[in-house]
Amino acid sequence: MSEALPGMPPPPPVAATRPASVVVPYRRTPEGVEVFWVRREKALAFAGGFYAFPGGKVDKTDALVPVRGASGQDAALRVAAARELFEEAGLLVAEGARRLGAEEVREARRALLEKRSTWSELLQRHGLVLRAEDFPDAGRWVTPEFAPVRFDTFFYLLEAPEYAQAEWWPGELSEAAWVKPADALARWEQGSALLHPPALHVLRVMADFDTPERALARLRDQPDCPDFIAQRIEFHQGVRVFPLRTATLPPATHTNAYVLGNGELLIVDPGADDEAEVARLLKMVDALVAEGHRVQAVVLTHHHGDHVGGVRAVTERLKVPLWCHARTADRVDVPAARLLEDGEVLELAGSPPQRWRVLYTPGHARGHLCLVDERSHAAVVGDMVASVGSIVIDPPEGDMAEYLKQLARLRDWPVTTLHPSHGSAVPDGPGKLQEYLDHRAAREARIVEAVPTEGVTLEQVVERAYSDTPPFLHPVAERSALAVLLKLQGEGRVRESAGLYFRT
C-alpha cells in the first residue's frame, strides 16, 4: 500500500454485513470446564490462521428448516449454528440425535460435507428436530468496517451432550480440540494463538465459569462494543490494532495504528488526519492510561501521508515525543526526538515487559522500519506486506531491489505473525513474505518478457505485463513497473534511451 495517487477512484464503500452463527461448545470435567475451539486454515480469506469456535454464515436454505421455539431470523440463525456445529465439530445436537450410533452420525456428517445430502434432508431422514432451547443467546458481534468481508454474528453457548463426540476432520480447519480456557489464554498471551475480540471475550468468561446462567449474562455483556463492534482489537497480548480511515490506495480504506505494550506504550503510525478518527484513537488510549498504562512515544514506520496524518495531534495531545528513522524525520513536519537505527531495542516495562527490535527495511520508503517482538517474534511491518491489496514501490522513493532484499531478510529473521498497516494480522509470516517474493519474481518475469530488443515505452510494458490488472489500477502498476525496470537496469538486463526500454 501507499498514499493515494492522482486519478485513482474513491475508496470502496464499507462492506455490507452477512448474518452468521457461532457456537461455543463446552463440557465440564473434574479439572474444570473445557471449550472446543478450532483453528481456521491459513488460506481462508476470512480469519485464516486464527483460533475461533465452530460457525459460519447463514445459508439461504437455513430459513427453510423449522426450529421448535423460534421463527424468522432467530430460527435461521440457530439452524446455521446447529449445521456448522455438526460440520466442523461433529456434534449433532437435536431432539432424537441420541438414537443414532456413532458411525451413523459420521456417515451423516460425510454426506453433508460432500453435499450428498442437505441439512434439511438429513434432519428429516433421521427424524431429528432442532430446538431453540439448545442454543441460548450468548451475544452478538459485528465485524469492524475496515474488513473487506464482514459478518453480523450471533453467538450461542452449548453444553455438549454426553452422547455426542466432538471430532476434528481436516478441511477448512487445521486443528480442533477441547482446551481449558486458561490454557488457551496463555497461548494468546505468548502470541502463539491469534484471537479476534469475540473469541478472546469468550475465553475470558469461560475461564471463570461457575453456572451457565452467569456465563451467558457475562457473554452478552460485551465491553467496548458500540453497535456490537469491538473497539479494542488485541490479536495477541500487548499488540492492539486500531484501524483508522485514511486516504490510502484501494481496496484498503483504513491504515492500522498500533498501540504496543502491557504497561509502557508505543503508538505506531497514527495515520488519520481526520479529527474524528484521531479522537477515536485518543479515546482508546485515554482508557488505557486510566487503567494504569503510560504512553512513551509515537513511532513511525515511514513518512507516507496515510501513516503520519495524526502525528502532530497525537504527540501534542499526549505530550509525548516522536521516534522514527532519520529518512522519515526529514520528511515529516513534527520534530523527531529520537532517530531510530537498525538493531536498536525499544524496551517497554509492563506485565509482561516487551522488547521491540528495530529493523531498518527500506525499499517501499527510504526510512521504512519494522518492529519485531523479541518474545513472540511477531512483527509490526508497516507497508512491507498487506493482507488487503498489495504494496506499491514508487520510484525514486521506492527501490525494488532493496525492497526484495528486505522481504527476504524479514522472512529469514525469523518472524511469526505479521501485523501490517493494511488489513488483518497474518499468522504465517514467513509464508506471506515468501508469497510476496514469488509474486514479485513472477511479475518481473512478465516485465522482462514485455521488453523487446527493439524497445518499448513504459505504458506498453504495463499493458503487456499487467494484462491481469484492472485498467483503473494501471497508474499504480506503472509505478511498480518502473521500479522493476530500474532494478533490471541496475543488473544490466535492460537499458533505457529517450523514454524507451530495450532488453539487453
Side-chain angles (χ1 to χ4, degrees), residues 244 270 272-283 309-310 313-314:
L244 296 166
D273 58 7
D274 179 80
E275 291 183 6
E277 288 294 280
V278 173
R280 285 199 311 112
L281 172 63
L282 289 172
K283 182 179 179 181
V314 172

mmCIF file of all heavy atoms in Angstrom, residues 244 270 272-283 309-310 313-314:
data_model
loop_
_atom_site.group_PDB
_atom_site.id
_atom_site.type_symbol
_atom_site.label_atom_id
_atom_site.label_comp_id
_atom_site.label_asym_id
_atom_site.label_seq_id
_atom_site.Cartn_x
_atom_site.Cartn_y
_atom_site.Cartn_z
ATOM 1 N N LEU A 244 -7.678 3.105 11.233
ATOM 2 C CA LEU A 244 -8.117 4.487 11.053
ATOM 3 C C LEU A 244 -8.418 4.733 9.583
ATOM 4 O O LEU A 244 -7.622 4.372 8.704
ATOM 5 C CB LEU A 244 -7.023 5.453 11.514
ATOM 6 C CG LEU A 244 -6.659 5.410 13.001
ATOM 7 C CD1 LEU A 244 -5.354 6.157 13.250
ATOM 8 C CD2 LEU A 244 -7.780 6.009 13.844
ATOM 9 N N PRO A 270 -0.072 6.738 13.785
ATOM 10 C CA PRO A 270 -1.404 7.362 13.864
ATOM 11 C C PRO A 270 -1.665 8.137 12.571
ATOM 12 O O PRO A 270 -1.422 9.343 12.488
ATOM 13 C CB PRO A 270 -1.295 8.278 15.088
ATOM 14 C CG PRO A 270 0.165 8.641 15.153
ATOM 15 C CD PRO A 270 0.921 7.459 14.616
ATOM 16 N N ALA A 272 -4.361 8.919 10.483
ATOM 17 C CA ALA A 272 -5.521 9.685 10.022
ATOM 18 C C ALA A 272 -5.349 11.171 10.308
ATOM 19 O O ALA A 272 -4.917 11.554 11.398
ATOM 20 C CB ALA A 272 -6.788 9.169 10.694
ATOM 21 N N ASP A 273 -5.707 12.004 9.325
ATOM 22 C CA ASP A 273 -5.692 13.444 9.564
ATOM 23 C C ASP A 273 -7.079 13.974 9.903
ATOM 24 O O ASP A 273 -7.253 15.161 10.144
ATOM 25 C CB ASP A 273 -5.117 14.196 8.370
ATOM 26 C CG ASP A 273 -5.873 13.933 7.075
ATOM 27 O OD1 ASP A 273 -6.938 13.265 7.121
ATOM 28 O OD2 ASP A 273 -5.407 14.386 6.012
ATOM 29 N N ASP A 274 -8.081 13.092 9.937
ATOM 30 C CA ASP A 274 -9.439 13.473 10.281
ATOM 31 C C ASP A 274 -9.570 13.574 11.800
ATOM 32 O O ASP A 274 -9.198 12.658 12.544
ATOM 33 C CB ASP A 274 -10.421 12.427 9.742
ATOM 34 C CG ASP A 274 -11.854 12.761 10.079
ATOM 35 O OD1 ASP A 274 -12.440 13.590 9.382
ATOM 36 O OD2 ASP A 274 -12.378 12.187 11.063
ATOM 37 N N GLU A 275 -10.118 14.698 12.277
ATOM 38 C CA GLU A 275 -10.196 14.932 13.718
ATOM 39 C C GLU A 275 -11.011 13.862 14.438
ATOM 40 O O GLU A 275 -10.659 13.441 15.539
ATOM 41 C CB GLU A 275 -10.808 16.316 13.988
ATOM 42 C CG GLU A 275 -9.900 17.478 13.592
ATOM 43 C CD GLU A 275 -10.517 18.820 13.944
ATOM 44 O OE1 GLU A 275 -11.587 18.828 14.602
ATOM 45 O OE2 GLU A 275 -9.931 19.863 13.574
ATOM 46 N N ALA A 276 -12.097 13.422 13.810
ATOM 47 C CA ALA A 276 -12.945 12.416 14.453
ATOM 48 C C ALA A 276 -12.216 11.087 14.592
ATOM 49 O O ALA A 276 -12.344 10.389 15.612
ATOM 50 C CB ALA A 276 -14.244 12.234 13.664
ATOM 51 N N GLU A 277 -11.429 10.726 13.571
ATOM 52 C CA GLU A 277 -10.673 9.473 13.636
ATOM 53 C C GLU A 277 -9.597 9.545 14.713
ATOM 54 O O GLU A 277 -9.395 8.598 15.482
ATOM 55 C CB GLU A 277 -10.042 9.167 12.273
ATOM 56 C CG GLU A 277 -11.022 8.747 11.213
ATOM 57 C CD GLU A 277 -11.660 7.413 11.544
ATOM 58 O OE1 GLU A 277 -11.029 6.367 11.313
ATOM 59 O OE2 GLU A 277 -12.791 7.421 12.059
ATOM 60 N N VAL A 278 -8.899 10.673 14.772
ATOM 61 C CA VAL A 278 -7.886 10.850 15.808
ATOM 62 C C VAL A 278 -8.528 10.806 17.191
ATOM 63 O O VAL A 278 -7.994 10.213 18.130
ATOM 64 C CB VAL A 278 -7.113 12.163 15.604
ATOM 65 C CG1 VAL A 278 -6.166 12.429 16.773
ATOM 66 C CG2 VAL A 278 -6.323 12.128 14.294
ATOM 67 N N ALA A 279 -9.701 11.400 17.319
ATOM 68 C CA ALA A 279 -10.401 11.401 18.602
ATOM 69 C C ALA A 279 -10.763 9.975 19.030
ATOM 70 O O ALA A 279 -10.696 9.637 20.224
ATOM 71 C CB ALA A 279 -11.658 12.265 18.518
ATOM 72 N N ARG A 280 -11.146 9.134 18.070
ATOM 73 C CA ARG A 280 -11.452 7.738 18.403
ATOM 74 C C ARG A 280 -10.218 7.044 18.974
ATOM 75 O O ARG A 280 -10.295 6.310 19.961
ATOM 76 C CB ARG A 280 -11.932 6.985 17.164
ATOM 77 C CG ARG A 280 -13.338 7.297 16.723
ATOM 78 C CD ARG A 280 -13.895 6.211 15.808
ATOM 79 N NE ARG A 280 -13.004 5.829 14.725
ATOM 80 C CZ ARG A 280 -12.411 4.628 14.633
ATOM 81 N NH1 ARG A 280 -12.590 3.715 15.558
ATOM 82 N NH2 ARG A 280 -11.628 4.360 13.597
ATOM 83 N N LEU A 281 -9.074 7.253 18.318
ATOM 84 C CA LEU A 281 -7.829 6.640 18.787
ATOM 85 C C LEU A 281 -7.486 7.144 20.185
ATOM 86 O O LEU A 281 -7.146 6.359 21.083
ATOM 87 C CB LEU A 281 -6.704 6.943 17.803
ATOM 88 C CG LEU A 281 -5.290 6.526 18.239
ATOM 89 C CD1 LEU A 281 -5.200 5.017 18.409
ATOM 90 C CD2 LEU A 281 -4.267 7.005 17.223
ATOM 91 N N LEU A 282 -7.567 8.444 20.381
ATOM 92 C CA LEU A 282 -7.194 9.015 21.676
ATOM 93 C C LEU A 282 -8.136 8.561 22.783
ATOM 94 O O LEU A 282 -7.704 8.402 23.933
ATOM 95 C CB LEU A 282 -7.171 10.532 21.581
ATOM 96 C CG LEU A 282 -6.015 11.112 20.756
ATOM 97 C CD1 LEU A 282 -6.193 12.608 20.560
ATOM 98 C CD2 LEU A 282 -4.675 10.820 21.428
ATOM 99 N N LYS A 283 -9.390 8.332 22.464
ATOM 100 C CA LYS A 283 -10.331 7.832 23.465
ATOM 101 C C LYS A 283 -9.891 6.463 23.966
ATOM 102 O O LYS A 283 -9.934 6.183 25.169
ATOM 103 C CB LYS A 283 -11.736 7.758 22.868
ATOM 104 C CG LYS A 283 -12.794 7.283 23.851
ATOM 105 C CD LYS A 283 -14.174 7.256 23.209
ATOM 106 C CE LYS A 283 -15.234 6.749 24.200
ATOM 107 N NZ LYS A 283 -16.582 6.691 23.570
ATOM 108 N N GLY A 309 -0.691 11.225 9.267
ATOM 109 C CA GLY A 309 -1.674 12.308 9.294
ATOM 110 C C GLY A 309 -2.036 12.809 10.675
ATOM 111 O O GLY A 309 -2.349 13.985 10.859
ATOM 112 N N GLY A 310 -2.007 11.933 11.683
ATOM 113 C CA GLY A 310 -2.390 12.343 13.025
ATOM 114 C C GLY A 310 -1.234 12.542 13.978
ATOM 115 O O GLY A 310 -1.455 12.713 15.183
ATOM 116 N N ALA A 313 -1.284 15.922 16.068
ATOM 117 C CA ALA A 313 -2.387 15.957 17.031
ATOM 118 C C ALA A 313 -2.132 15.004 18.198
ATOM 119 O O ALA A 313 -2.375 15.342 19.362
ATOM 120 C CB ALA A 313 -3.699 15.597 16.337
ATOM 121 N N VAL A 314 -1.613 13.814 17.904
ATOM 122 C CA VAL A 314 -1.409 12.816 18.959
ATOM 123 C C VAL A 314 -0.245 13.191 19.866
ATOM 124 O O VAL A 314 -0.342 13.110 21.096
ATOM 125 C CB VAL A 314 -1.206 11.418 18.346
ATOM 126 C CG1 VAL A 314 -0.798 10.405 19.410
ATOM 127 C CG2 VAL A 314 -2.487 10.958 17.648
#
